[in-house]
Amino acid sequence: MPLISPPSISSTLTINGTNYDAAQRQAARIVIDGWGWDLDADFSLQFHEAPGGSAPQWLGGATVSLTINGAVVFTGSITDTAPMHDADGWVYGYTVQGLKYAVNWLPVVNPQDYSGSIAFNLPPTDFYWVPSMAGLSVGAILSQVLTDHATALAAIGVTTDSTTTSQLAALTLVPREPVYFAGERLGNAIDAVLQRDARNIDFYVQPTGVGSGVARFVDINAGTAHTLTLGSDPVMPTKPRRSIKAAATRTIVRGKGNIYPGYVSLLKSTLTPAWTSAQQSAWTWADFVSPVGAFDSGTIPAGGITSTTTITVQSSNAGETWGVNYWPPLEAWIHVINSVGTGLTYQEARPVTSNTALAAGGTSTITVGYALDNSGSSAYSSYEIIGTYSPLSSGNPNNRCDV
């Protein structure tokens, strides 16, 4: 098998201002283990010295950067030193965290009262409500927090740019509940807001040289694919592995409506009926279950379920006709029924989103809003279509009228 020549790579590890290229690292017994970005944490780098002396050369807080082919790809500081002893003597492993780690050394400070808490989107009834800090989107809130801490961030080499501004402008969701920033770790406070109101967005700080320490808010679901080629790109693939720790075969998403209460009353004339007293007196139950001009029933021919969302129907009224898309404006639902079995009737209902024209004695294709649970070609034998909305002008108001 022919050997693949390794790509030409020039790298320099800088520790507390001292540069170590490949030859210098060999002389100092320093080995770079790897570096990268943890989606749930920060940029990080690991290296070790082996064999080491009786004590590690560097302690926590020492600054570290890594340059690959002239570009700085990592900047951070040592956070962990792990000693171990093997046959060659002492080995010291070092973990280096990126600039987001430095952000977490900054406390949250309210520039208005210098307290350790900032509140956004408080209700008007709250004593601490400030109009300029209410009704803000997630992006506007984060932008304000970064501005409030700009001086402290700049002191550790973190800033923002036009890309940061555009990324935050895209976060337009306005949280319905108050948003609070507090605590001794600014980065964690930002992550907490994103976790609650923008879970697909990740906050990180780019290493100096790649983006000059700028803050980034990226959509982790919208990444760009990159192809790396062995022998030409500086990569060494890890052994593949499979994990099901965070896997799920089904996801249920629950939410709630953006509903505001209101008080209306017929007695106080804050609610006025659009129908007359004569129309109200003439209304019957039949207007609800089979409204004139908004009801039809019939059979589904054999093989009439032509897909999960399309149904062929034939009216029981040989003279029944309707035009293209007659049913959607009536907000109609179709009820498909299987009563062929003994002692069992099975039924499903779906909203009608479109229909083809029906000629007298002919068939029409009904399209529904979402798939049928049972979509076998002959799953159902009959149907009813009921319109839930008839304008008063039709003279046949049913269960929902204009008010």
Side-chain angles (χ1 to χ4, degrees):
M1 176 182 294
L3 296 177
I4 300 176
S5 299
S8 177
I9 300 174
S10 172
S11 62
T12 301
L13 185 69
T14 302
I15 307 174
N16 262 356
T18 302
N19 295 328
Y20 297 89
D21 61 18
Q24 292 165 333
R25 291 198 299 273
Q26 183 176 7
R29 307 178 306 281
I30 298 173
V31 178
I32 299 175
D33 300 306
W35 78 95
W37 175 40
D38 184 342
L39 187 64
D40 298 318
D42 190 11
F43 283 92
S44 63
L45 179 145
Q46 294 84 34
F47 70 95
H48 69 273
E49 52 174 324
S54 58
Q57 294 189 55
W58 303 281
L59 301 176
T63 58
V64 177
S65 65
L66 177 63
T67 302
I68 301 292
N69 291 339
V72 178
V73 298
F74 177 84
T75 297
S77 57
I78 294 175
T79 58
D80 295 275
T81 302
M84 62 175 294
H85 196 275
D86 61 17
D88 296 323
W90 285 103
V91 176
Y92 299 101
Y94 299 90
T95 299
V96 190
Q97 294 284 78
L99 290 172
K100 187 175 177 180
Y101 172 79
V103 174
N104 269 330
W105 278 97
L106 299 178
V108 175
V109 177
N110 189 326
Q112 305 300 322
D113 57 12
Y114 299 100
S115 68
S117 176
I118 310 175
F120 295 92
N121 292 13
L122 293 173
T125 54
D126 194 288
F127 179 79
Y128 294 101
W129 176 70
V130 178
S132 62
M133 297 178 67
L136 300 180
S137 66
V138 173
I141 292 172
L142 294 175
S143 178
Q144 183 63 51
V145 169
L146 293 176
T147 299
D148 291 343
H149 296 81
T151 301
L153 289 168
I156 60 173
V158 178
T159 184
T160 61
D161 61 7
S162 59
T163 299
T164 313
T165 301
S166 64
Q167 290 174 339
L168 291 175
L171 305 181
T172 57
L173 173 71
V174 178
R176 295 183 63 243
E177 304 294 335
V179 177
Y180 296 96
F181 283 83
E184 298 300 316
R185 297 183 181 274
L186 177 60
N188 285 353
I190 293 173
D191 287 338
V193 171
L194 292 174
Q195 179 63 24
R196 192 187 79 164
D197 296 312
R199 294 188 179 185
N200 60 311
I201 302 300
D202 189 73
F203 162 58
Y204 70 91
V205 182
Q206 293 196 136
T208 301
V210 175
S212 301
V214 293
R216 287 287 181 259
F217 295 84
V218 297
D219 188 342
I220 59 177
N221 296 328
T224 302
H226 295 277
T227 300
L228 301 175
T229 304
L230 289 176
S232 59
D233 292 309
V235 293
M236 180 179 295
T238 59
K239 293 182 178 180
R241 68 185 182 96
R242 178 179 296 173
S243 173
I244 60 171
K245 290 187 295 184
T249 57
R250 183 181 182 185
T251 301
I252 299 176
V253 179
R254 294 186 174 91
K256 55 185 178 180
N258 188 12
I259 300 170
Y260 293 91
Y263 178 79
V264 292
S265 169
L266 288 172
L267 179 64
K268 296 184 177 181
S269 299
T270 53
L271 178 66
T272 304
W275 54 86
T276 66
S277 58
Q279 288 173 322
Q280 181 168 320
S281 299
W283 188 89
T284 66
W285 180 248
D287 292 321
F288 176 77
V289 295
S290 57
V292 177
F295 173 81
D296 185 61
S297 63
T299 60
I300 300 175
I305 309 298
T306 52
S307 78
T308 59
T309 57
T310 53
I311 306 162
T312 299
V313 300
Q314 185 169 25
S315 177
S316 296
N317 180 0
E320 180 74 19
T321 63
W322 60 64
V324 174
N325 292 334
Y326 172 80
W327 292 106
L330 299 179
E331 298 182 10
W333 282 64
I334 183 170
H335 301 254
V336 288
I337 305 163
N338 185 342
S339 55
V340 176
T342 302
L344 175 66
T345 297
Y346 184 72
Q347 178 174 313
E348 292 187 70
R350 297 290 186 270
V352 178
T353 58
S354 67
N355 64 265
T356 63
L358 176 70
T363 62
S364 173
T365 298
I366 305 293
T367 301
V368 297
Y370 54 97
L372 295 168
D373 291 331
N374 188 358
S375 57
S377 61
S378 298
Y380 299 100
S381 56
S382 60
Y383 73 93
E384 286 186 351
I385 301 179
I386 303 175
T388 61
Y389 174 72
S390 291
L392 287 173
S393 58
S394 70
N396 299 293
N398 57 353
N399 61 316
R400 202 194 94 181
C401 295
D402 302 319
V403 291

